[in-house]
């Protein structure tokens, strides 16, 4: 499996190369050169699997045995989930009126980021020990990514982690989770500004290839492909638990509500769609509504300010994983994606081209949520119709559930 930049100007890499990268050298994000297509037989086989087993199957598709042999891969993922509090790791709770809630909070820090970061850290360790290397991880956080990233690598001898924490913009619990870890390889800095402002210098650092290579830098934000890969399992697991039978023709659609900030989980769902999973995605945001505006009317532009809310990890105006979604929407057209993103970086405002707006969107937009939302639990239910297009997102209370991206 090879990975290419969404902007098309960087040399393709394998999974190890994508794992150890932040942004691609051309400023883009790595994506699989080709997405495997899953037939009904594969979906039937996967429908019986536990969440950890689904992660193993997905990772095997995108990593390849020449990099991590299957037995080693299984061991790494088993180790990653060994400290989760729920025996299923991820659990689907059934509510009223066909509503379901996917519980993604059973990791050490109670953030859904624990799921992808614990696996990513295991992959990281595997390659570092094999290559006898050391890396420095640079993370900008709006709250939950920082604590989950620290938890995944603290005390590791061949990894140092630098976390940039926006002072006054994280919850007290998350701040304490980050600042009370007394390990020599953990370095946490409080900085002025919001999480979007933190991303600018981090992106500038990763654009300097010589500097990145000299200091062995990498990122564990959701720009890292490995995180998106593991998050795809959330959507497959939710689908299989919501659909009573895969014997129906055509397969029923499950609507998955994904409250989001940086759109990593949203991008994972879009990729799962492209692979053949019949889900309909609904993006739910708080008052920082750039994704809502993009989906509704093609308006990918910054507001004047980031609006602080109680869901601080969703207080994001630059959802960098939308670049992956634009790339998918444009049928992997790196030239279109590059033009869009370079214009956004110059002007902080882009109107999506009519040819993209006219395509069936992989994502619907739910109403903007109030700031007081529960976290780490996307909602989903089976839709007996094969489309979510005949009703408005937001009916039946589908905006009750939330997680956060960064």
């Amino acid at each position: 499996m090879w990975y290419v930049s969404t902007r098309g100007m960087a040399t393709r890499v394998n999974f190890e190369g994508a794992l150890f990268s932040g942004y691609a050298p051309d400023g883009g994000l790595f994506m699989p050169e080709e997405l495997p297509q899953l037939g009904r037989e594969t979906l039937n086989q996967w429908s019986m699997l536990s969440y950890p087993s689904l992660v193993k199957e997905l990772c095997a598709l995108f990593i390849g045995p020449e990099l991590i042999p299957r037995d080693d891969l299984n061991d790494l993922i088993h180790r990653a989930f060994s400290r989760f509090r729920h025996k299923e790791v991820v659990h689907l709770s059934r509510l009223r009126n066909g509503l379901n809630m996917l519980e993604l909070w059973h990791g050490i820090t109670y953030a859904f980021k624990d799921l992808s970061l614990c696996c990513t850290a295991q992959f990281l360790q595997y390659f570092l020990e094999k290559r006898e290397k050391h890396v420095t991880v640079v993370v900008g956080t709006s709250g939950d990514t920082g604590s989950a990233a620290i938890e995944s690598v603290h005390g590791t001898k061949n990894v140092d982690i630098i976390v940039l924490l926006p002072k006054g913009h994280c919850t007290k619990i998350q701040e304490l989770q980050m600042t009370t870890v007394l390990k020599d390889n953990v370095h946490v800095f409080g900085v002025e500004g919001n999480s979007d402002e933190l991303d600018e210098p981090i992106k500038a650092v990763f654009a300097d290839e010589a500097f990145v290579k000299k200091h062995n830098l990498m990122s564990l934000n959701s720009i890292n492909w490995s995180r998106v890969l593991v998050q795809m399992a959330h959507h497959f697991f939710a689908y299989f638990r919501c659909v009573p039978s895969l014997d129906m023709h055509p397969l029923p659609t499950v609507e998955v509500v994904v409250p989001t900030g940086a759109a990593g989980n949203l991008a994972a769902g879009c990729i799962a769609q492209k692979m053949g999973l019949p889900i309909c995605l609904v993006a739910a945001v708080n008052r920082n509504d750039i994704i809502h505006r993009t989906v509704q009317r093609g308006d990918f532009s910054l507001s004047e300010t980031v609006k602080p809310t109680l869901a601080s990890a969703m207080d994001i105006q630059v959802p960098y994983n939308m670049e992956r979604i634009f790339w998918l929407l444009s049928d992997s057209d790196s030239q279109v994606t590059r033009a869009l993103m370079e214009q956004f970086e110059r002007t902080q405002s882009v109107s999506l081209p009519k040819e993209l707006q006219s395509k069936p969107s992989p994502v619907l937009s739910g109403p903007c949520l109030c700031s007081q939302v529960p976290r780490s639990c996307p909602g989903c239910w089976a839709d007996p119709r094969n489309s979510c297009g005949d009703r408005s997102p937001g009916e039946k209370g589908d905006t009750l559930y939330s997680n956060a991206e960064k």
Side-chain angles (χ1 to χ4, degrees):
M1 175 71 72
W2 291 101
Y3 295 86
V4 296
S5 169
T6 50
R7 303 194 187 184
M9 303 294 286
T11 304
R12 69 179 189 171
V13 297
N14 60 16
F15 175 80
E16 183 179 358
L19 173 68
F20 280 91
S21 299
Y23 291 92
D26 61 357
L29 302 177
F30 283 113
M31 285 287 281
E33 192 171 41
E34 293 183 8
L35 290 175
Q37 297 302 299
L38 304 178
R40 185 179 285 264
E41 183 179 349
T42 300
L43 293 176
N44 269 313
Q45 291 170 355
W46 285 13
S47 68
M48 307 302 293
L49 298 178
S50 65
Y51 177 86
S53 295
L54 271 174
V55 173
K56 292 171 187 177
E57 293 300 326
L58 279 164
C59 288
L61 279 180
F62 287 93
I63 297 175
E66 71 282 358
L67 288 177
I68 305 180
R70 185 58 192 263
D71 287 346
D72 290 347
L73 181 66
N74 290 347
D75 289 344
L76 293 174
I77 293 169
H78 175 76
R79 199 178 308 153
F81 295 137
S82 62
R83 297 176 64 202
F84 277 68
R85 292 181 301 276
H86 198 287
K87 63 181 180 180
E88 295 179 77
V89 179
V90 168
H91 177 69
L92 188 84
S93 291
R94 302 191 182 278
L95 308 179
R96 288 187 248 173
N97 301 321
L99 286 168
N100 303 278
M101 182 169 64
L102 194 63
E103 298 175 3
L104 303 176
W105 61 74
H106 296 295
I108 300 300
T109 73
Y110 291 83
F112 88 105
K113 312 293 178 62
D114 287 326
L115 290 157
S116 58
L117 280 164
C118 69
C119 293
T120 298
Q122 289 294 324
F123 302 152
L124 193 61
Q125 281 299 305
Y126 180 85
F127 288 117
L128 288 174
E129 291 174 7
K130 197 173 180 181
R131 314 293 186 217
E132 297 183 346
K133 288 176 58 180
H134 177 279
V135 295
T136 298
V137 174
V138 181
V139 172
T141 186
S142 55
D144 46 1
T145 293
S147 51
I150 289 170
E151 175 59 35
S152 70
V153 299
H154 72 79
T156 303
K157 64 180 181 180
N158 45 10
V159 177
D160 274 85
I161 183 167
I162 297 171
V163 175
L164 304 180
L165 166 69
K167 291 193 291 186
H169 292 276
C170 296
T171 68
K172 189 64 176 177
I173 289 174
Q174 289 169 338
E175 187 174 312
L176 288 170
Q177 283 179 329
M178 288 181 266
T179 56
T180 57
V181 179
L182 304 179
K183 298 291 184 179
D184 291 341
N185 70 323
V186 176
H187 317 280
V188 180
F189 298 91
V191 299
E192 301 294 338
N194 58 49
S195 62
D196 286 333
E197 290 167 334
L198 290 182
D199 289 336
E200 295 175 17
I202 291 174
K203 187 166 187 177
V205 165
F206 281 104
D208 187 338
E209 285 188 74
F211 186 83
V212 169
K213 190 173 182 179
K214 178 181 178 181
H215 296 283
N216 288 330
L217 301 182
M218 65 168 291
S219 173
L220 283 180
N221 284 99
S222 61
I223 58 174
N224 192 301
W225 162 252
S226 178
R227 281 189 52 185
V228 177
L229 167 58
V230 176
Q231 286 173 178
M232 288 164 57
H234 307 348
H235 300 275
F236 282 92
F237 185 78
Y239 182 83
F240 296 137
R241 291 300 182 271
C242 285
V243 173
S245 171
L246 267 66
D247 293 332
M248 292 177 272
H249 296 271
L251 289 173
T253 298
V254 168
E255 183 169 296
V256 182
V257 182
V258 186
T260 188
N265 214 1
L266 205 58
C270 290
I271 295 166
Q273 277 181 335
K274 284 277 190 180
M275 292 172 64
L277 187 68
I279 57 174
C280 176
L281 296 162
V282 178
V285 299
N286 61 18
R287 291 184 296 166
N288 300 286
D289 65 346
I290 184 171
I291 295 175
H292 175 80
R293 287 183 282 109
T294 303
V295 175
Q296 287 280 58
R297 55 183 183 270
D299 173 22
F300 189 60
S301 61
L302 296 188
S303 300
E304 288 185 10
T305 59
V306 173
K307 302 176 181 69
T309 72
L310 295 182
S312 58
M314 294 169 66
D315 293 347
I316 292 170
Q317 279 212 84
V318 185
Y320 34 69
N321 279 291
M322 287 300 289
E323 180 164 345
R324 287 185 161 115
I325 295 174
F326 294 154
W327 187 80
L328 291 168
L329 189 60
S330 66
D331 297 322
S332 311
D333 191 325
S334 57
Q335 190 172 354
V336 168
T337 307
R338 184 170 68 254
L340 280 173
M341 297 310 300
E342 287 179 351
Q343 182 184 337
F344 179 76
E345 288 165 357
R346 286 193 309 271
T347 67
Q348 300 186 333
S349 179
V350 168
S351 180
L352 295 190
K354 288 182 180 178
E355 55 268 25
L356 289 190
Q357 291 192 52
S358 64
K359 291 187 175 185
S361 174
V363 180
L364 301 177
S365 180
C368 300
L369 300 178
C370 70
S371 61
Q372 299 187 48
V373 291
R375 298 161 59 84
S376 298
C377 41
C380 45
W381 70 81
D383 188 339
R385 299 152 293 193
N386 201 38
S387 168
C388 299
D390 55 350
R391 70 173 187 81
S392 299
E395 293 178 9
K396 296 187 182 178
D398 60 341
T399 55
L400 289 172
Y401 318 113
S402 175
N403 62 20
E405 301 279 357
K406 182 62 187 166

